[in-house]
Amino acid sequence: MLKLPGLIDPHVHVREPGQTHKEDWDSATQAALAGGVTLILAMPNTKPPIFDAATLDLALESARQKARCDYAQFVGAGPDNADILRSLAAQAAGLKMYLDSTFGELRLDDMTLWMPHFQNFPKDSPVVLHSESRTMAAGILFAALYDRPVHIAHISLKEEVLLIKAAKERGIKVTCEVCPHHLFLSKDDIPAIAHGHPGRGEVRPRLATKEDVDALWKNMEVIDCFATDHAPHTLQEKDSDNPPPGFPGLETLLPLLLTAVDDGRLTMDEIVQKSVINPRNIFRLPEQPETWIEVDEKAEYEIKAVNQFSRCGWTPFEGWKVKGQVRKVTLRGQTAFEDGKILAEKGFGRNIRDQ
Ligand code: DOR
Ligand code: ZN
């Protein structure tokens, strides 16, 4: 049995408040524990979005009652909430800025709307950008102009990883994450994922070309974190005429990474660096005491949505054979997950930003 620290997933869509038929603080944190993740950072594009003190309280109260693993909640940048968000920074995981269109209402089209957020949000609190391609280049320019760190969510393109590499070499304070679906899937996999339902292949950023995927692997040292962008939508919604973008990912993250280690494409050290140490530093997270996971590196199994704790009922990795299974999760001295069973109670999870 291999022992690793509990993983940190800095990018999770919990869906509560507002869309608990997709997921809630209970089911999302069960999925996290089953995946060996002991700390999640929750995104603010809920219904309503988390964009002021009242909505932050709403999310944190549900989390307080239901979460089974540790957590923090992001606040979302809107057209006129930069002042309020500054005062909430200490209670939040950080600030999320949606600079390209995706699921939910939070979106800042105009670059003049970015400015007050870059000006106001404390420099020692994390800022995460959803910014693709040239928008990402603009976001990196903002990091340089305002001389503050930014973290780029879910990079997927060769041009993105190369630009981040160049920016880092010039001392710009930029970090980035990559999602398993952008490392293990390309455009060419869409027909197999879709099974005649094109909505199942929809995700933002979209699945990219093989060349893009190869560039991410080739520049692994540029990538600071692995993040799932766990974005559960039900199968019924994915198969509808207006399918929302997003893939679930909490329960497939570690088995996919361990399989890559078995294939010689990744090292165990890289997993620990990008799923524990770097996210802890970038997002200024406390160490979780007496917290570790035990993994059977030899166990081979098939990924199946029916075995998942997520409420969404599907996975783009259905039928994939993986090697490496989470057997046991110990969180703050308590067994939280063992042999397929969640043992942590609702409400056991802690808000790591609580003083
Ligand atoms: O595919 C996505 N789904 N990308 C995002 O940026 C948002 C997410 C969601 O909330 O469903
Ligand atoms: Zn996301």
Side-chain angles (χ1 to χ4, degrees), residues 28-96:
T29 54
Q30 291 196 41
L33 289 171
V37 173
T38 52
L39 172 50
I40 62 169
L41 304 185
M43 285 296 155
N45 63 335
T46 47
K47 250 188 165 161
I50 309 309
F51 69 104
D52 63 8
T55 49
L56 180 59
D57 280 351
L58 193 64
L60 291 181
E61 183 52 26
S62 303
R64 196 183 61 76
Q65 290 175 23
K66 295 186 181 176
R68 298 177 195 249
C69 73
D70 293 349
Y71 59 89
Q73 170 69 52
F74 279 98
V75 289
D80 50 18
N81 64 349
D83 275 338
I84 300 165
L85 295 187
R86 175 177 39 195
S87 67
L88 298 175
Q91 298 168 58
L95 172 67
K96 177 72 183 286

Side-chain angles (χ1 to χ4, degrees), residues 33 38 68-70 288 290-291 329-334 336 348:
L33 289 171
T38 52
R68 298 177 195 249
C69 73
D70 293 349
Q288 295 176 288
E290 286 184 82
T291 298
V329 176
T330 304
L331 172 55
R332 285 182 276 103
Q334 297 223 18
F348 180 67

Side-chain angles (χ1 to χ4, degrees), residues 150-218:
V150 297
H151 179 78
I152 311 293
H154 42 51
I155 69 163
S156 63
L157 302 175
K158 179 176 181 178
E159 63 179 22
E160 292 171 346
V161 75
L162 294 182
L163 195 72
I164 291 173
K165 184 171 187 232
K168 284 183 173 187
E169 281 165 6
R170 280 157 190 77
I172 299 176
K173 299 182 184 95
V174 57
T175 55
C176 68
E177 67 191 29
V178 71
C179 305
H181 51 266
H182 292 124
L183 280 179
F184 294 97
L185 300 171
S186 76
K187 265 184 174 50
D188 301 351
D189 296 301
I190 293 177
I193 298 167
H195 269 302
H197 303 277
R200 294 188 200 179
E202 288 291 342
V203 65
R204 298 293 175 277
R206 289 184 168 84
L207 294 180
T209 65
K210 277 220 170 91
E211 194 189 341
D212 290 309
V213 174
D214 289 346
L216 297 179
W217 282 100
K218 211 171 141 215

Side-chain angles (χ1 to χ4, degrees), residues 11 13 15 45 96 98 102-104 130 154 202-205 229 231-233 244-247:
H11 194 142
H13 295 273
R15 306 298 187 207
N45 63 335
K96 177 72 183 286
Y98 287 94
T102 184
F103 183 70
H130 180 129
H154 42 51
E202 288 291 342
V203 65
R204 298 293 175 277
D229 195 7
H233 299 286
F247 292 165

Side-chain angles (χ1 to χ4, degrees), residues 293-313:
I293 66 179
E294 285 158 71
V295 167
D296 184 347
E297 295 164 272
K298 303 257 156 48
E300 294 185 57
Y301 71 103
E302 205 175 294
I303 293 174
K304 287 198 179 120
V306 289
N307 296 330
Q308 294 194 153
F309 289 89
S310 169
R311 208 162 273 164
C312 71

